[in-house]
Each structure stands twice: as structure tokens, then as C-alpha cells.
Amino acid sequence: MSARVAAPAPVVFKAACPDCRARFELAASAIRLAIGASRRTTFYSFTCPECDAAVRKPAGERIVELLTGGGVRTLRLHQTV
């Protein structure tokens, strides 16, 4: 007899579109996180599934923690000297 381990449920994030005001859930794979040198250059982005608008929102420390913990792909922006 072998024990079966249940796969963890996929992580989904609640989001809203500022253009069409739709509310929906997005999989981690549908979100991108960019971490810059400052609060102004740290943001997450996604495409609204309702109206296809490109959405970009600021990401504070807590949002960064939640998104990275949920498996969102992260891009670290490097500052040029």
C-alpha cells in the first residue's frame, strides 16, 4: 500500500481592473512582479481577463511577500550606475 499525497491547491489572487472595474481571481502564472530599488519601481502587473487592459499596481512590502510566497514570477530591476 502506498500513501497518496494530495497536491496543494493552486494559489489564486483576487484582483480588480481599474479600467472596467471587473473583479476576478488570477493564477500566480498570470501575474508578474517587478522589484526595483524604491517603492516607485516595485509593482505587479497583469492583463485584465475581461477587457484585456494592461494593469500595473504598486506593490508594498506585504504584497511582495504574498506574491512571492504564492509563486508569482519575479523580476528584479537593477539600478545602472
Side-chain angles (χ1 to χ4, degrees), residues 37 77-81:
L77 304 175
H78 296 286
Q79 187 177 16
T80 57
V81 180

Side-chain angles (χ1 to χ4, degrees), residues 44-72:
Y44 65 100
S45 61
F46 57 89
T47 300
C48 174
E50 298 293 322
C51 71
D52 274 343
V55 178
R56 178 175 160 164
K57 294 187 175 188
E61 198 173 303
R62 180 73 178 135
I63 297 294
V64 168
E65 185 180 309
L66 290 170
L67 293 177
T68 55
V72 170

Side-chain angles (χ1 to χ4, degrees), residues 8-27:
V11 176
V12 292
F13 298 92
K14 292 184 183 209
C17 177
D19 289 356
C20 72
R21 299 191 181 272
R23 295 185 169 280
F24 40 83
E25 291 184 343
L26 293 171

